[in-house]
Amino acid sequence: SLLRIFRAIVTALLPFWPIAASFGICIVAGTWAYRLASVSFLQMIKESHIAIVYVLMLAFGLEQPRLRYALVLFFVTISATLAVSNQASLSVAGLLMQIVAG
């Protein structure tokens, strides 16, 4: 019957609810961050994720330190900072929303 089909669908989709909820929170928090902070500030925060990921990869031994990668990372970080340095204004609420958004 229809109720049995509905229960089967709910049972099949139940393991995916945590992933769907996490994705929904990321979308809402990321969109809300744009209401609280300037685009240039959020762009600078997103660019810093590259550096954070590389440092974590080095810390956990997933990547070997290479001068070339460090120089490229340094150049990208400095370029992003210079590009938004005059326009970015600190917004703690926007920063927190961006951190929640991942």
Side-chain angles (χ1 to χ4, degrees), residues 22 35 44 57 83:
S22 297
R35 296 188 68 172
M44 188 172 60
M57 287 178 67

Side-chain angles (χ1 to χ4, degrees), residues 33-47:
Y34 282 102
R35 296 188 68 172
L36 300 172
S38 65
V39 173
S40 58
F41 175 73
L42 293 176
Q43 183 65 34
M44 188 172 60
I45 297 300
K46 289 180 181 184
E47 291 292 335

Side-chain angles (χ1 to χ4, degrees), residues 36-38 40-42 44-45 84-85 87-96:
L36 300 172
S38 65
S40 58
F41 175 73
L42 293 176
M44 188 172 60
I45 297 300
V84 299
S85 62
Q87 300 171 3
S89 59
L90 176 65
S91 169
V92 175
L95 175 63
L96 292 175

Side-chain angles (χ1 to χ4, degrees), residues 21-87:
S22 297
F23 180 72
I25 289 170
C26 288
I27 294 294
V28 170
T31 304
W32 199 264
Y34 282 102
R35 296 188 68 172
L36 300 172
S38 65
V39 173
S40 58
F41 175 73
L42 293 176
Q43 183 65 34
M44 188 172 60
I45 297 300
K46 289 180 181 184
E47 291 292 335
S48 69
H49 288 207
I50 298 169
I52 293 168
V53 168
Y54 184 68
V55 168
L56 288 174
M57 287 178 67
L58 290 175
F60 288 108
L62 299 173
E63 182 72 42
Q64 296 298 321
R66 295 192 175 111
L67 180 61
R68 179 179 177 202
Y69 292 170
L71 290 174
V72 168
L73 183 61
F74 178 75
F75 179 74
V76 167
T77 304
I78 294 300
S79 299
T81 303
L82 288 175
V84 299
S85 62
N86 291 333
Q87 300 171 3

